[in-house]
Amino acid sequence: MAQAMTATVRAMSKEGRRALPRRAALTMTEAAVRRVAELLSRSPEAKALRIGVRTKGCTGMSYYLEHAAEKKKFEEEVRQGDAVVFIDAKAQMSLLGTEMDFVESKLSSEFVFSNPNIKETCGCGQSFTL
């Protein structure tokens, strides 16, 4: 026979509460912070860069980025320096713990996401599976 599990809730005064530091859902490198801030400065109506995940590509999911004029309900806000990023509500769990970088080479410039949750990527690196 399975035992029932119980939980108790205890009310605490505001003075007795300790705030634990929250870890950001997404961290940005200095290069990414500079690039996001630069993109936002070019678009005065944009308050942030929105990051989300769409079903697309060879292995199932792909990131998308767009300018955001306002924060939508349930979006996570990440601020680092002058950079502001909104994480789409549907993408929050898949982006948890991700580092966002901006990389420039002679042939391209792009945001690169180092995501510890990814299990598989396609050959071109544009899509992934969790």
Side-chain angles (χ1 to χ4, degrees):
M1 184 165 101
Q3 268 189 321
M5 292 170 50
T6 61
T8 348
V9 177
R10 183 175 42 160
M12 294 179 68
S13 67
K14 287 185 179 180
E15 295 81 35
R17 285 189 224 163
R18 284 186 304 156
L20 297 175
R22 266 184 47 176
R23 190 162 174 228
L26 173 87
T27 56
M28 293 180 272
T29 64
E30 285 299 317
V33 169
R34 281 192 303 274
R35 183 62 177 163
V36 170
E38 179 186 334
L39 291 171
L40 294 176
S41 71
R42 289 184 188 176
S43 181
E45 71 279 353
K47 292 187 172 147
L49 192 66
R50 179 173 290 118
I51 302 174
V53 176
R54 290 192 176 125
T55 303
K56 180 181 173 185
C58 312
T59 54
M61 301 174 89
S62 181
Y63 296 110
Y64 74 87
L65 297 121
E66 63 186 15
H67 288 96
E70 62 184 41
K71 184 178 171 186
K72 293 180 183 176
K73 190 175 183 179
F74 302 119
E75 283 188 327
E76 181 79 23
E77 181 175 335
V78 177
R79 289 181 177 270
Q80 264 184 252
D82 293 333
V84 182
V85 172
F86 295 154
I87 301 175
D88 183 71
K90 296 176 187 171
Q92 289 174 12
M93 292 307 290
S94 60
L95 283 168
L96 196 60
T98 298
E99 180 186 69
M100 179 180 173
D101 194 9
F102 182 71
V103 179
E104 290 183 278
S105 69
K106 291 181 181 181
L107 298 175
S108 68
S109 60
E110 62 186 351
F111 285 105
V112 176
F113 295 87
S114 298
N115 188 334
N117 306 309
I118 292 177
K119 303 291 182 225
E120 181 182 11
T121 60
C122 67
C124 67
Q126 296 296 315
S127 63
F128 59 91
T129 302
L130 295 175

